[in-house]
Amino acid sequence: MPRPKLPRKVCCRPANSCFKPNGIPMSELVQVALEPDELEAMRLVDLEGMQQMQAAEVMGVSRQTLANIVKSARHKVAGALIHGQALMMEKSD
């Protein structure tokens, strides 16, 4: 049985719910879901320029957990850009 996921502090909300390539209907695109904690981790580290330790404290997770979240988010974003997929931002609860 996996360990239960601890709640994470997420302060930002996406400006849009989806980013997709122009001129291709959504029905023809692979959709990649970007979780709220992944967007928040990227915002803190990549946009705000925080060190991972500081961003981890803000989100209420360990530094290693934050690093894993950022790695997953970057992988999804890069894949969506390279492969022409729709990037879906999920709203936080």
Side-chain angles (χ1 to χ4, degrees), residues 24-64:
I24 303 173
M26 185 65 91
S27 61
E28 296 178 16
L29 293 171
V30 172
Q31 296 181 13
V32 178
L34 189 66
E35 301 290 331
D37 60 341
E38 292 173 325
L39 181 63
E40 177 72 355
M42 283 185 59
R43 181 184 74 83
L44 293 173
V45 174
D46 297 331
L47 186 62
E48 300 294 329
M50 287 186 186
Q51 295 294 319
Q52 286 189 357
M53 194 66 199
Q54 184 183 9
E57 289 174 13
V58 169
M59 288 186 66
V61 298
S62 70
R63 195 222 37 93
Q64 184 60 52

Side-chain angles (χ1 to χ4, degrees), residues 32 42 69-81 83 85:
V32 178
M42 283 185 59
I69 294 168
V70 169
K71 181 180 179 181
S72 173
R74 288 175 177 165
H75 181 78
K76 289 178 181 182
V77 170
L81 292 173
H83 300 298
Q85 300 167 333

Side-chain angles (χ1 to χ4, degrees), residues 6-20:
L6 296 173
R8 296 163 183 177
K9 296 176 186 169
V10 176
C11 298
C12 77
R13 294 184 186 253
N16 298 296
S17 61
C18 171
F19 285 97
K20 70 175 200 66

